[in-house]
Amino acid sequence: MLELIVAGFMFVALIFYAVTGGADFGGGMWDLLATGARADAQKNAIDKAIAPIWEADHVWLILVVVILFTGFPPAFAAMMTALNIPFTLMIIGIVLRGSAFTFRKYDIKSQEVHRRWSTLFGAASFFTPFIQGLTLGALSTGEIRVVDGKLATGFFAGWLTPFALACGLFALALFAFLAATYLTVDSSAEPDVQNDFRLRALWSGSALAPIAFVVFITSKDGAPAMYHGLTQWWAPLLVGATLCFAIAALTCLWLRRFVIARAVAIAEVTLILGGWSLSQYPNLITPDITIFNAAAPAITLRLLTYALFAGAVVLFPSLFFLFRIFKGQKS
Amino acid sequence: MGMSLAFHIVFAALGIGLPVLMAISEGLYLRTRRPVFLELSKRWSHGAAILFAVGAVSGTVLAFELGLLWPGFMEKAGAIIGMPFSLEGFAFFTEAIFLGLYLAGWNRLPPFVHWLCGVVVAVSGALSGIFVVTANSWMNSPSGFKIIDGRITDIDPIAAMLNPAASHEVLHMLLAGYVATAFAVAGIHAFFVLRDRRNDFHRSALGIALALACICTPLLIISGDFSARSVAKLQPAKLAAMEANYRTQTGAPLQLGGIPDDESRTNPYALTIPRGLSLLSTHDPNARVIGLEEFPRNDWPNVRLVHWAFDLMAGSGTAMLVLSLTVCWLAWKHRGLPDGKWLLRALVAAGPLGFLAIEAGWMVTELGRQPWIIYGVMRTQEAVTPMRKIAVPFAIFTVLYVFISVVVFYLLRRQFMKSDKPVPELLATDA
Ligand code: HDD
Ligand code: HEM
Ligand code: HEM
């Protein structure tokens, strides 16, 4: 039971990371892709939306990691060993993204310098989520095997498969879509810029469907356990619901109901991640490591649960305060 | 890992110290309404923002690296010491949120609430330091579990967090963060005051930094003494290596410097103070102090490095103590900010000492624990990743860190340089 609670917290933290931190990466992508007469205005809007919150958003990822290594230490050890290479690449991306964004803000000497930091920021914003999707995908492939507590497969298992690569692409498109949708709300003061982001959201949102289809097709060979999960009785309900939300999000964007579109997009992402984790429950690393056989002793899980509840009590009001000040009333 | 930590600790220490300066300065502004204090807290908050962002990303690197480099260690230790790391996660979260509010909230929050946000940043910065250091002290004095037939049982994460080394390490690290930040900031502003004696901006900054330095430095030295005496009890081999003390003896002398030689078990060229070591480590000049000879040869840490690092830390500490006492005395004598040319020059020279001492102190703690990763329980060898070619990511991270350090240094320098201009003009351009 405790395992489930802790895993639940980890899942919630992952969703929060996707809908906040993921969108910040998406913002970086649109920053790199800013074009046309209003490129600078677009970049400005992105900068304003991300600057006050990205560090807080980023901490969700750290939370996922600490819950993982406190609650499920053997799973952490196995993941970090098997996926050593992609995780190393990912943290390089994280370092570059974060520092380039900060430096861009404070290094205001010349246009040239500013542009160089922007390029690095944008490139790292593409690279990092791709690797994130890829590693999550690799965990479902079933190619990473752990026998008697020892990793039996090498350092290249899983993450170079077509399925994992498709997952990487999916993460890219998903975050781009989220970011563009949020930005339509954030840029409501400038209708032209808002419309730019609306079009971007529509495009990237539509691109999600074919990529999701590729993920599904490749999972047949690439992630059989997950494919099996996705063909169970509840799967059509979940997939149907996700599809409804996806269409609703696009429709709201089309009809310029941006605030509703934002809420619907968040729900869509939550459903996608929910479906993903349900379809591989209870595996953390398919098929050998589960949340049950990797769980830390009960006392650790219990204390961790208390800590997470206590943390949530501090965290949510503070976060609410932050978002209210910056996203609520515009001064 | 050692390198990532050595990099991270600089940002961590500044993350502990800078918010305090920032909050003091804004507090002074609220009381006196002098614009110079407002400007100062804004400048420092920009510094804090840059450092915090880099600290955050380097901290993320650490969280992953624990597993990437030490999977064996995390597999065993995760359940025991994951707690403080999770708590640090929350402390850090709070810090991120309130720093965000602080930075962008100048015009959106009532002044007092804004100041409170600054205080929360300072407190959560300190908390996050406290939590991680308990994890480190657990590696030095593992507690809160039993080993039966080679398996770990009876885990008690709370007892592990409150391990015997936690109190001295936490206290010493926290004070070290304040002292190192205060001296670094004082050094920078002393430099500018030297150039322009009447610059109100730099004089105020220097005053605040020196006040913090004068309060914390003596406390830091006292806590260092407390650390040394705990280490004597908990990890006698580390103490022996710190002092290059090979033989168990009563009335042991204190040896400064020298070139410790493991083969002959001597320390030639050292400056010896009779009975000094016994006095320092037990407060009794005739006490018996355990030497390295009591331990098997393959349980010795690298004596040379540990001894030299310890001397470097204690030497810098003594220098900073002398300097801060001088500052106190001069300030009392002149009833104002001491600004003699030579004092200012000395302060500029002392700017890096705090960080030097922090790096050296961590070398003492970490190298002094070798060959153990968990003292007496697990050897470093058993914990390392089976991944070969570690050299490649190591090289990449080195390049990355060097690059980031250079940019941060350059940006901070400009943040401070900008304030060369008189304050009113600055406020106008900033708005
Ligand atoms: C500004 C920095 C600074 C200064 C001036 C000093 N220290 Fe220190 N010292 C640290 C910063 C530091 C540190 C980096 O913060 C360490 C590393 C681990 C820790 O807990 O604190 C440390 C560790 C450390 C340890 C090892 C603790 C352990 O391994 O458990 C001892 C015995 C001392 N110190 C003793 C001293 C003494 C006797 C000092 C004075 C003369 C002194 N330190 C000055
Ligand atoms: C919470 C704080 C810390 C933790 C949990 C921690 C953990 C570790 C671990 C797991 C090792 C592995 C053993 C090894 O590499 O040999 C290690 C070694 C090391 N650490 Fe730390 N460390 C901490 C703080 C620091 C800091 C702040 C520094 C430097 C400024 C540092 C410097 C080193 C060095 C140089 C080694 C290498 C020792 C050797 O291999 O001989 N550590 N530490
Ligand atoms: C103001 C102070 C500090 C800040 C802002 C800070 C920032 C961070 C962040 C953001 C992380 C990743 C978050 C996490 O894993 O929970 C982290 C991890 C870490 N920090 Fe710091 N840090 C601070 C103080 C320290 C100190 C004093 C040390 C040790 C000497 C330290 C050593 C570590 C280590 C070993 C990790 C990796 C452990 C982990 O996964 O949690 N930090 N830090």
Side-chain angles (χ1 to χ4, degrees):
Chain A
M1 191 57 211
L2 279 168
E3 294 90 335
L4 281 177
I5 297 176
V6 173
F9 268 108
M10 194 161 75
F11 175 64
V12 171
L14 187 69
I15 290 179
F16 270 101
Y17 181 61
V19 301
T20 60
D24 295 339
F25 281 114
M29 300 177 206
W30 293 126
D31 191 276
L32 191 66
L33 297 180
T35 47
R38 285 180 299 277
D40 281 339
Q42 291 169 7
K43 284 180 177 228
N44 247 333
I46 293 168
D47 205 78
K48 265 215 215 112
I50 298 181
I53 52 167
W54 74 269
E55 281 145 327
D57 294 348
H58 175 76
V59 187
W60 290 111
L61 174 65
I62 291 159
L63 211 58
V64 173
V65 175
V66 291
I67 298 177
L68 182 66
F69 73 53
T70 311
F72 310 97
F76 177 68
M79 282 180 201
M80 293 296 145
T81 314
L83 299 174
N84 196 303
I85 298 168
F87 273 125
T88 303
L89 293 175
M90 183 187 92
I91 52 183
I92 292 173
I94 286 176
V95 170
L96 286 179
R97 194 280 301 241
S99 32
F101 184 65
T102 311
F103 294 162
R104 167 172 100 158
K105 178 141 164 246
Y106 289 98
D107 197 357
I108 34 185
K109 196 174 62 189
S110 70
Q111 278 300 315
E112 183 52 36
V113 175
H114 192 270
R115 202 162 40 241
R116 245 181 266 152
W117 287 128
S118 284
T119 312
L120 186 60
F121 165 59
S125 300
F126 269 100
F127 178 71
T128 314
F130 176 70
I131 301 277
Q132 287 171 339
L134 182 127
T135 38
L136 269 191
L139 297 177
S140 318
T141 55
E143 292 197 7
I144 302 172
R145 301 302 301 261
V146 181
V147 181
D148 295 333
K150 288 238 168 357
L151 188 73
T153 45
F155 299 106
F156 296 95
W159 58 279
L160 289 173
T161 58
F163 171 73
L165 295 174
C167 288
L169 271 187
F170 188 73
L172 271 185
L174 192 66
F175 292 165
F177 165 65
L178 266 182
T181 310
Y182 295 176
L183 283 165
T184 57
V185 183
D186 293 330
S187 61
S188 52
E190 297 163 280
D192 288 344
V193 180
Q194 189 177 37
N195 200 42
D196 290 344
F197 286 124
R198 169 174 168 265
L199 291 176
R200 283 166 169 71
L202 285 170
W203 279 115
S204 50
S206 320
L208 273 177
I211 302 181
F213 187 67
V214 174
V215 171
F216 180 71
I217 293 296
T218 47
S219 77
K220 187 162 193 259
D221 289 330
M226 187 170 145
Y227 181 79
H228 180 72
L230 280 180
T231 47
Q232 274 175 352
W233 63 267
W234 48 263
L237 292 177
L238 202 78
V239 173
T242 313
L243 209 61
C244 288
F245 274 98
I247 293 169
L250 292 178
T251 316
C252 292
L253 282 167
W254 184 256
L255 298 175
R256 298 176 186 275
R257 296 296 168 86
F258 296 120
V259 177
I260 306 176
R262 179 170 69 176
V264 177
I266 290 175
E268 180 188 343
V269 174
T270 310
L271 277 174
I272 291 173
L273 282 172
W276 168 77
S277 58
L278 264 183
S279 66
Q280 67 162 3
Y281 172 88
N283 292 314
L284 284 170
I285 306 176
T286 311
D288 296 319
I289 305 246
T290 69
I291 58 176
F292 300 106
N293 69 18
I299 174 154
T300 303
L301 294 178
R302 184 156 348 108
L303 286 169
L304 183 60
T305 310
Y306 296 154
L308 290 170
F309 270 114
V313 169
V314 180
L315 205 63
F316 281 104
S318 317
L319 267 183
F320 180 72
F321 190 41
L322 179 72
F323 276 86
R324 217 183 73 113
I325 296 283
F326 294 113
K327 299 276 166 175
Q329 354 92 322
K330 294 273 164 201
S331 64
Chain B
M1 180 97 200
M3 189 201 45
S4 296
L5 279 157
F7 179 82
H8 180 71
I9 194 69
V10 174
F11 297 92
L14 286 163
I16 293 174
L18 215 47
V20 174
L21 292 177
M22 176 181 100
I24 293 178
S25 176
E26 194 185 1
L28 286 173
Y29 168 70
L30 291 181
R31 288 194 71 142
T32 64
R33 294 281 153 194
R34 284 181 51 204
V36 61
F37 287 127
L38 179 66
E39 178 56 26
L40 201 51
S41 47
K42 281 196 178 167
R43 286 271 167 267
W44 277 336
S45 71
H46 288 176
I50 298 174
L51 294 163
F52 186 78
V54 178
V57 291
S58 68
T60 315
V61 172
L62 284 175
F64 281 95
E65 259 184 338
L66 282 176
L68 293 175
L69 298 179
W70 310 105
F73 168 70
M74 286 314 290
E75 190 163 358
K76 287 235 164 46
I80 312 174
I81 54 159
M83 268 309 269
F85 286 131
S86 325
L87 292 173
E88 191 218 2
F90 281 112
F92 180 70
F93 223 139
T94 321
E95 194 178 353
I97 292 170
F98 283 89
L99 189 64
L101 282 166
Y102 191 89
L103 285 175
W106 288 102
N107 301 322
R108 302 192 194 195
L109 295 168
F112 185 68
V113 175
H114 186 262
W115 177 74
L116 278 185
C117 288
V119 173
V120 174
V121 174
V123 171
S124 48
L127 278 178
S128 104
I130 291 173
F131 287 131
V132 234
V133 173
T134 63
N136 179 272
S137 62
W138 177 84
M139 295 161 49
N140 286 323
S141 62
S143 58
F145 65 97
K146 287 203 188 98
I147 298 184
I148 297 171
D149 298 335
R151 313 195 95 244
I152 293 180
T153 57
D154 288 350
I155 289 177
D156 180 353
I158 302 274
M161 243 176 103
L162 304 176
N163 60 72
S167 54
H168 79 253
E169 274 201 51
V170 161
L171 190 67
H172 197 53
M173 176 68 228
L174 213 53
L175 288 167
Y178 295 141
V179 168
T181 309
F183 267 94
V185 171
I188 293 169
H189 291 286
F191 177 79
F192 288 112
V193 175
L194 263 178
R195 277 200 188 161
D196 174 8
R197 288 306 167 95
R198 278 194 294 278
N199 186 315
D200 196 26
F201 178 82
H202 291 300
R203 291 183 68 97
S204 313
L206 184 61
I208 297 175
L210 284 180
L212 188 66
C214 287
I215 296 170
C216 293
T217 313
L219 295 176
L220 173 67
I221 304 294
I222 297 171
S223 91
D225 173 58
F226 171 52
S227 290
R229 277 180 297 130
S230 314
V231 171
K233 278 203 279 304
L234 299 169
Q235 293 174 284
K238 182 189 273 182
L239 188 83
M242 273 157 52
E243 306 288 1
N245 179 28
Y246 290 98
R247 260 178 286 285
T248 301
Q249 48 192 325
T250 53
L254 183 68
Q255 310 176 49
L256 302 177
I259 307 174
D261 178 19
D262 288 353
E263 292 311 316
S264 63
R265 306 194 170 187
T266 53
N267 184 14
Y269 308 114
L271 185 68
T272 338
I273 301 173
R275 298 179 195 280
L277 177 55
S278 292
L279 187 66
L280 279 181
S281 58
T282 59
H283 291 186
D284 167 8
N286 294 314
R288 198 174 97 103
V289 180
I290 293 179
L292 279 167
E293 63 185 5
E294 307 278 329
F295 303 90
R297 185 69 183 75
N298 64 351
D299 277 0
W300 291 12
N302 184 329
V303 181
R304 252 180 219 181
L305 287 182
V306 176
H307 178 62
W308 286 340
F310 180 71
D311 280 357
L312 190 59
M313 165 174 65
S316 323
T318 313
M320 289 189 288
L321 180 70
V322 170
L323 209 58
S324 60
L325 292 180
T326 314
V327 167
C328 284
W329 180 65
L330 286 174
W332 179 77
K333 206 172 103 186
H334 299 298
R335 315 255 166 234
L337 185 75
D339 63 353
K341 192 155 142 202
W342 284 101
L343 181 76
L344 291 177
R345 285 189 181 159
L347 284 173
V348 174
L353 279 188
F355 284 98
L356 204 65
I358 285 190
E359 297 288 349
W362 278 103
M363 293 304 152
V364 173
T365 305
E366 298 290 307
L367 295 173
R369 189 187 58 238
Q370 303 302 323
W372 303 100
I373 189 169
I374 308 173
Y375 190 66
V377 175
M378 180 189 240
R379 288 191 183 250
T380 307
Q381 281 301 322
E382 304 162 45
V384 70
T385 175
M387 179 91 186
R388 276 175 304 264
K389 301 216 177 73
I390 288 283
V392 177
F394 181 80
I396 297 175
F397 279 110
T398 311
V399 173
L400 210 58
Y401 285 149
V402 169
F403 168 71
I404 291 176
S405 313
V406 171
V407 180
V408 167
F409 179 79
Y410 164 80
L411 286 182
L412 286 180
R413 210 182 66 139
R414 258 226 326 272
Q415 280 294 324
F416 286 108
M417 292 292 264
K418 261 201 291 188
S419 38
D420 262 1
K421 290 182 270 175
V423 171
E425 189 185 318
L426 243 175
L427 285 176
T429 51
D430 208 38

